[in-house]
Amino acid sequence: MSVSTAAIDPSVCAPLPVLGQDVTVPLVTGGEVTYAALDYAASAPALQRVWDDVAAYAPYYGSVHRGAGYLSQLSTDLFENSRRTVAEFLGCRADDQVVFTRSTTDSLNLLAAAIPAGCQVFVFETEHHASLLPWRDAQVTYLNAPRTPAQAVETLERALADRDPYGPALVCVTGASNVTGELWPVKELAAAAHALGARIVLDAAQLAPHHPVDIAELDVDWVAFSGHKLYAPFGSGVLAGRSDWLLAAEPYLAGGGASRKVARRADGGVDVDWHTTAARHEAGSPNVIGVYSIASACKALTEAGFDNLVAREQELVSRVREGLAEVPEVQVLSLFGDDAPRVGVISFVVRGWNSSHFAAALSAEYGIGVRDGLFCAHPLVRTLLGSDPQDPGECGAPEAEPGERSLNAIRVSFGAGTPDEHIERFLRAVSELVSDGAQWKYRTEDGRCVPDRGTAAQV
């Protein structure tokens, strides 16, 4: 079985320099190879530009909003300038706020804590768990997976029109699926939500690293994303958008930084005057390095030309889909169909293979890092695999031996730093594994499929 190796057009855009691009890893079959990082959807490698910016700032690190010294003032300016950079990157409106969090999950939990009493929340079952699960104190309506973008809009319209009582409502929707990479009709969903008296928050964790996100143009109320998927390490995230619900809510965390004034009362208690800015939900010493890394990544992507990055990524997407289509045993998972626009996130299963076994062989025999499992989107993956959405499962691989059928999938994901060679090696590896089988024996250990290093016998 052969897979064509047509090169990506180099005139579109060169990959951006990222950390780890020269790291080599051992192969179980002997020797070493440059690591092919194809798990961008989980955590993208840091841009070299981001790392350099952080390294240049690190000696000047100081306490943000906490000190009169020069380094503290410098760090505070850096922190607040980063807020403005992110606001510009997202096309925020004049009265929008940018709140720094730990991640997309943290951002959506913050918003969940700020929704008004009686608010109804509408979420498609296709969401990542970060969008699916935070709304524990609200009345939640889970919507079935649509099979076309138009059906998604129609489903939402019906649900919003039928809500009872007709009070405040919030729609939470992904911009790009972390399972299929497919783009959702965000602008149309926002229009439908607003027409029926609801607000909408966009989970842009998979969209922002791959595609421009403009709050004003999309007309969404909030956007949430994570730095670690935007080529920026150090554990920071963003919630950006309308301020009224955020300012009306109790602080997400109570403590220093969120409070403007605290005074003892005569009865022994305390009175607190909370901030009316983004600081209201940023209690504690902020992660200034993480925040600065996000701002640096925003600048780097903008300066590289997002249109060029998108064009190159689309060539990579086409190349991967064409290569996988040449292997009959491979089934690519899709919600909206082959013609749906998508980012560099593709999930698939291989007939006759346990998905964790296949992913382990890609790593151990080819030095390729992908993801296997349910990708913290259990109902969606179950639906796409044709199993019961309520079947049990874990984010990691199930307890299944190599060769056993598994109710999970393999995900390959890539982006601005992916070299052509990583894509070609991946496609060659898929073809060879399917046609020739794995070169090594594997076993299940602690729920993961791993090479059996106890024996040198090849199969």
Side-chain angles (χ1 to χ4, degrees), residues 143-346:
L143 307 175
N144 291 335
R147 287 299 180 168
T148 66
Q151 189 180 82
V153 177
E154 294 167 2
T155 299
L156 179 62
E157 288 175 333
R158 285 195 303 270
L160 289 174
D162 292 343
R163 72 184 189 271
D164 182 29
Y166 194 89
L170 177 68
V171 177
C172 182
V173 67
T174 187
S177 171
N178 77 303
V179 176
T180 67
E182 291 165 314
L183 297 176
W184 276 63
V186 176
K187 190 170 183 177
E188 292 80 3
L189 290 167
H194 292 155
L196 292 163
R199 297 188 181 187
I200 185 168
V201 56
L202 170 63
D203 175 355
Q206 298 298 338
L207 183 63
H210 302 275
H211 199 280
V213 174
D214 190 305
I215 288 180
E217 194 272 331
L218 293 172
D219 197 24
V220 294
D221 297 282
W222 294 278
V223 166
F225 72 89
S226 297
H228 69 95
K229 299 183 192 298
L230 194 80
Y231 314 100
F234 308 113
S236 278
V238 168
L239 177 66
R242 296 179 61 158
S243 62
D244 53 350
W245 283 9
L246 299 177
L247 297 184
E250 288 293 303
Y252 181 50
L253 297 173
S259 56
R260 186 163 51 185
K261 184 174 70 173
V262 179
R264 290 294 301 275
R265 296 196 306 263
D267 64 3
V270 294
D271 288 320
V272 184
D273 183 12
W274 301 108
H275 273 295
T276 57
T277 64
R280 184 183 188 89
H281 297 291
E282 294 177 344
S285 296
N287 180 2
V288 59
I289 287 181
V291 165
Y292 182 44
S293 72
I294 289 180
S296 174
C298 290
K299 288 181 179 178
L301 293 173
T302 300
E303 292 170 4
F306 232 136
D307 289 344
N308 293 332
L309 296 175
V310 170
R312 181 175 187 273
E313 183 175 312
Q314 288 308 302
E315 289 210 8
L316 296 178
V317 168
S318 296
R319 182 70 200 92
V320 172
R321 287 179 59 80
E322 290 167 3
L324 292 178
E326 295 177 14
V327 185
E329 293 82 355
V330 170
Q331 175 194 350
V332 173
L333 304 184
S334 177
L335 195 63
F336 297 152
D338 289 342
D339 295 332
R342 66 195 72 220
V343 300
V345 179
I346 297 170

Side-chain angles (χ1 to χ4, degrees), residues 115 118-123 131 135 138-142 168-172:
I115 61 178
C119 183
Q120 298 180 64
V121 178
F122 296 82
V123 188
S131 304
W135 322 102
Q139 178 184 336
V140 185
T141 298
Y142 294 105
L170 177 68
V171 177
C172 182

